[in-house]
Amino acid sequence: MQDSLRVRVNSKLSFGAKKERNLRFLTTDMKSAEEDAYSYAPNVSLSLPLGVGNPCLAAQYHTLQSGPVISVSSCHQSSYSLQNDTHIASGYYHGLKPNGAPALESPRIEITAYSQYPEDEVEERSSNEDHIIKRGVNSIVTLTLPNADGYRDPSCLSPASSLSSRSCNSDASSYESGFYNYDNSPQNSPWQSPCVSPRGPSMLLSCPHATGPVGSPNHSPSTSPQIGAVAEIGWPAQPRGSRPNSPSCSGGVSSCSGIGKRKYSFNGNSYCQTSPNQSPTPSPYGSPRISVTDENWLANTNQYTNSAIVAAINALTTDGVVDLGEGIPIKTRKTMLDNSPSMSLKVEPRGEELGHEREHCHEDYPNRMALKKENYCGGFLDVPQHPYSWSKPKPYLSPSLPALDWQLPSCSGPYNLQIEVQPKSHHRAHYETEGSRGAVKALSGGHPVVQLYGYMESEPLTLQLFIGTADDRLLRPHAFYQVHRITGKTVSTASHEVMHSNSKLLEIPLLPENNMKAIIDCAGILKLRNSDIELRKGETDIGRKNTRVRLVFRVHITQPNGRTVSLQAASNPIECSQRSAQELPLVEKQSVDSSPATGGKMMLLTGLNFLPESKVVFVEKAQDGHHLWETEAKVDKDSVKPCTLVVEIPPYKNQRTSSPVHVNFYVCNGKRKRSQYQRFTYLPPNVPIIKTEPNDDYDSLGTVGLSMHSKPYYNQTRLTPVMPVADPDACLVGAYPPCPPSHATMPSSSPSSSPTLHDLSPVAYIKCLPNSPTHTTASGPMASHFQESPGHTNLGHPPSPDHNSSLEILHSHGSSNSLNSPGAQSYHPIYPNSSPSSSSSPASHPSTPGGPAESPFASAYSPSQVQAAANSSQNKGNSPCQLPEDASPSSMTIAVKQEPQELDQMYLDDVNEIIRNDLSSISVHPHA
DNA sequence: TTTCTGGAACCAGTA
DNA sequence: AATACTGGTTCCAGA
């Protein structure tokens, strides 16, 4: 019986998925087989990323408020041309918004597809339907699934984490409350994006939920009948069990179908139905494994950049006021709004709304309460008793809060949000079908700790936590993972869940009495089925191999002047896949990131899953991705330990290179078991230091690079004493004091959290603009670590146009790594995306934040040192793999600031060449 | 019991 | 076309 049902379902599903599938195929063609294995990169440029994954959306969200200023075209263009946007982009905002704005422009086709939502209706019904669905198979077949979007869709309920999400998110309520009002804001300007079809009634547009169709492209008349269509196509009643044929879902399907061991299947169906994740449009093809080629990647990133720029512009024109809006593709808005209903996020009638929502939840979803799993409402109500009153109005509850995919700084003015204790690099996420796998833990065995410095008020704040991506693109909510609230005796920290833009947020009180410090022992990670997410409307990321996440913390501080300062800190990457965690080597730290082209020095790699048979391969790729050079480094087999690997840096092919050469290396445990790419730079034998002109920043740069260099890229956390310049922000933005001087004494920020300051006020943005370049350079070293998956070349990102000194450029490459870090990203979103040089790198892989310091000063470990370090690291109690700080190369590094000794014309020519190439390639990117 | 955890079976897509 | 991998997802069982 199940089988039969399944068949029916699938047929319907195929319809809905059709468009997306096509798009994916297109992209798929572009990728090379080789890269495929390693690039899980998710982005398919052709399809519009509407969900969380689509930064663009978010950007728009914010942007819209400000006004009309940005036209679609700008959005596009920006994506493609960094240069033009550079100024804009350079600003704080550039980085801020990783959007796929361009995507919007592209194939409207997609948009149409999205429009399918009669979301309003769907959502509204969803809750009710859920109940029904759960009750019987029949329902499954006949009912349309409201929320395919699952987690991203507020209406979707996550079985595992909580039914919660769904119920309260229901549209109706959301409309009425919070967001709806925004639409009416005078500031609303029509979103000019071409993507947006003719607006319907303004009201509709403004209402995210209701209007699904209106604002969105779908809204077009043609699409209008969407509700029905949605039901049929977009939201085919899909039994949970009938997971789309995603590659990954094989298991799931089988279960549903009753094949294999899944006993769960039958029940599973009903279960599935309730799951938010159900993919509305399962594609017959299943989810194609799409890897993104460099080219694709580039395109995608550009899109993000564009949107970021747009957002930035809008932001600049706004004063923190957010209008929802018009112009936002319905889907987009819908997504955001959907979640908006989340009580905590609502703005206005705080108290009332809250109450209203609760009521709503209860009324509409009484049954859910009975469900074993906590539902949204339940979760909300179930908040553990804590001194901190959740009901208390939260200053940050404002529509103007930045979207989750906005890149925010970790420090601003006196405030600094720090991750004092980083999470372990591995945490097996649990599926909805599994029980919780517990809270994310710290390396030491405890839990991550986050602290807000510089906040002297007595009013408690709320720390938000969501699961973000860990690839080289701008930080954004992860489509395939959601934070999961952990409760129990062992949990000491109060928390509650709220949905925001299809992403679940965990809100944790930050209390003055606790020094604004929170122990994150209440956050687990839920894995959503790839098939469910991939098939969701607007989702362009793929889940396969997209298993790295970061914990992203945010805090919104309302200042006396009424403005809100939002800070964000992202953790080091966390591998969430059981398999990957067990099999793939992970390089967390490298003792050096550069050496003379002659090689010969020893390098200590610290990480996980190193084997005696592990190989370390150095690779140089051209911009087009093809291999220019590849060689295997000699591994000291005798010293290999699971967490450390000592390799001899191989000589570069051209030992007389006159300019630094950026290459990559990875650790390989077998055919498909490679670590991500790590960056490495070969330096000209006789040009130890590159310094072409006196620059005050130079010192700091060099210093930073050195100091940071030795630190573990990912794990550098509290453990490490902070350098004066520990926080990139501090130095980068020195001129514009985001961070208090005291900052230096604060624990160093992790690369990922490094970012800068973010003040929602326009002023703040402006201030940041000038800094971005500096920041970039400076942050590069800080961010130290850059990982890219093999198969993708990682490249230096082009320097900003205004910084084309050779020095800057060289550093820019290094700093490119910083892109990985959320913080850095905020400043340079542009580089990664638009940089031509980076074209080769597009890895869609999750990369770790940070980039290798390009510092020419980097010193190499001597074998003995390496060994010592390795040993010491092994001896470490908590984490055997953790490299002792003292062993850090940094201590050994010698910072030498010298004038170029032999900077001959040839060298200069090379540098100029690099500059020219970068610039030309940048300009080459078509704006449109 | 319930919640965590670690392992491993299943399976479909890939190589 | 057959076989071995891969990696996602689900189950099982012990702590």
Side-chain angles (χ1 to χ4, degrees), chain A residues 363-655:
Chain A
E363 291 178 359
D364 293 349
Y365 313 93
N367 293 337
R368 285 184 189 149
M369 297 304 284
L371 295 178
K372 171 183 175 182
K373 296 180 181 180
E374 61 180 347
N375 68 11
Y376 179 79
C377 295
F380 194 68
L381 295 174
D382 291 343
V383 176
Q385 293 299 316
H386 191 282
Y388 177 75
S389 168
W390 289 105
S391 61
K392 187 177 300 186
K394 298 169 187 175
Y396 63 82
L397 293 181
S398 163
S400 63
L401 292 180
L404 297 182
D405 53 351
W406 281 40
Q407 312 300 299
L408 306 177
S410 61
C411 71
S412 174
Y415 312 118
N416 189 350
L417 184 61
Q418 296 279 340
I419 297 177
E420 297 297 319
V421 176
Q422 289 283 344
K424 288 202 300 185
S425 58
H426 288 148
H427 175 82
R428 181 173 163 182
H430 64 270
Y431 283 84
E432 297 170 352
T433 55
E434 296 181 304
S436 169
R437 286 189 177 277
V440 173
K441 298 175 181 60
L443 204 55
S444 62
H447 294 89
V449 175
V450 176
Q451 184 165 10
L452 173 65
Y453 291 91
Y455 180 78
M456 304 305 182
E457 308 299 319
S458 58
E459 184 75 5
L461 295 178
T462 296
L463 179 68
Q464 297 181 321
L465 164 60
F466 65 91
I467 303 301
T469 57
D471 55 30
D472 5 349
R473 290 182 293 168
L474 298 180
L475 177 64
R476 62 196 181 285
H478 205 298
F480 302 91
Y481 293 89
Q482 292 284 325
V483 66
H484 176 254
R485 177 173 171 246
I486 302 295
T487 58
K489 320 175 214 175
T490 59
V491 177
S492 62
T493 305
S495 66
H496 74 180
E497 296 176 328
V498 297
M499 289 299 294
H500 182 26
S501 299
N502 285 324
S503 293
K504 185 172 290 182
L505 292 178
L506 209 54
E507 296 192 331
I508 300 162
L510 272 182
L511 308 174
E513 52 265 43
N514 291 339
N515 278 328
M516 302 308 284
K517 177 188 292 186
I519 296 173
I520 314 302
D521 60 357
C522 55
I525 301 175
L526 170 68
K527 173 67 169 66
L528 304 180
R529 280 187 296 254
N530 292 341
S531 58
D532 289 337
I533 301 305
E534 291 170 348
L535 295 175
R536 184 163 56 197
K537 316 173 271 293
E539 181 55 62
T540 56
D541 280 5
I542 59 173
R544 187 175 176 79
K545 296 188 117 181
N546 187 355
T547 56
R548 287 189 180 185
V549 310
R550 282 183 286 187
L551 298 183
V552 184
F553 299 93
R554 282 188 171 186
V555 65
H556 306 284
I557 308 164
T558 298
Q559 299 178 301
N561 61 11
R563 287 187 173 169
T564 298
V565 173
S566 296
L567 302 179
Q568 172 178 300
S571 73
N572 293 333
I574 301 170
E575 173 59 61
C576 294
S577 162
Q578 175 196 15
R579 197 169 252 114
S580 296
Q582 296 175 334
E583 303 173 350
L584 300 179
L586 172 68
V587 178
E588 295 182 323
K589 177 180 173 182
Q590 61 193 78
S591 63
V592 297
D593 56 16
S594 65
S595 92
T598 51
K601 292 188 176 182
M602 303 303 287
M603 174 168 66
L604 170 64
L605 302 181
T606 304
L608 295 171
N609 300 328
F610 296 144
L611 305 172
E613 57 269 31
S614 292
K615 295 178 181 179
V616 177
V617 180
F618 281 69
V619 179
E620 179 184 14
K621 282 189 175 183
Q623 290 190 0
D624 61 6
H626 72 269
H627 283 58
L628 294 176
W629 169 72
E630 179 173 320
T631 190
E632 183 178 332
K634 185 185 296 182
V635 174
D636 181 356
K637 306 284 184 186
D638 298 333
S639 63
V640 172
K641 293 183 179 177
C643 303
T644 60
L645 199 60
V646 178
V647 302
E648 180 181 327
I649 298 169
Y652 180 58
K653 64 180 180 186
N654 175 12
Q655 298 183 30

Side-chain angles (χ1 to χ4, degrees), chain A residues 5-86:
Chain A
L5 290 175
R6 180 168 306 294
V7 172
R8 294 173 61 184
V9 171
N10 287 338
S11 64
K12 287 184 179 181
L13 295 177
S14 63
F15 269 117
K18 188 175 183 178
K19 289 180 181 179
E20 283 191 10
R21 277 179 273 134
N22 291 338
L23 292 176
R24 291 190 178 189
F25 277 109
L26 290 175
T27 57
T28 301
D29 292 341
M30 299 173 75
K31 88 176 177 181
S32 67
E34 177 183 356
E35 290 180 341
D36 182 18
Y38 299 93
S39 65
Y40 67 98
N43 249 348
V44 177
S45 59
L46 293 180
S47 56
L48 287 180
L50 293 179
V52 172
N54 184 351
C56 199
L57 295 179
Q60 290 178 353
Y61 182 91
H62 285 280
T63 303
L64 292 179
Q65 3 168 341
S66 45
V69 180
I70 300 167
S71 66
V72 174
S73 64
S74 67
C75 199
H76 278 288
Q77 291 177 353
S78 59
S79 352
Y80 293 95
S81 70
L82 293 179
Q83 280 219 300
N84 293 340
D85 298 341
T86 299

Side-chain angles (χ1 to χ4, degrees), chain A residues 126 162 252 255 361 526 554 695 757:
Chain A
S126 69
S162 47
S255 67
C361 293
L526 170 68
R554 282 188 171 186
N695 182 330
L757 132 108

Side-chain angles (χ1 to χ4, degrees), chain A residues 236-255:
Chain A
Q238 176 185 1
R240 194 15 127 235
S242 69
R243 283 209 258 346
N245 328 316
S246 131
S248 55
C249 75
S250 58
V253 171
S254 65
S255 67

Side-chain angles (χ1 to χ4, degrees), chain A residues 5-18 21 138-145 229-239 279-284:
Chain A
L5 290 175
R6 180 168 306 294
V7 172
R8 294 173 61 184
V9 171
N10 287 338
S11 64
K12 287 184 179 181
L13 295 177
S14 63
F15 269 117
K18 188 175 183 178
R21 277 179 273 134
N138 292 337
S139 322
I140 294 170
V141 176
T142 58
L143 294 177
T144 60
L145 267 194
V230 173
E232 290 296 327
I233 300 173
W235 305 76
Q238 176 185 1
S279 45
T281 58
S283 74

Side-chain angles (χ1 to χ4, degrees), chain A residues 732-752:
Chain A
L732 298 180
V733 195
Y736 311 88
C739 301
S742 61
H743 186 249
T745 59
M746 294 177 183
S748 63
S749 59
S750 66
S752 52

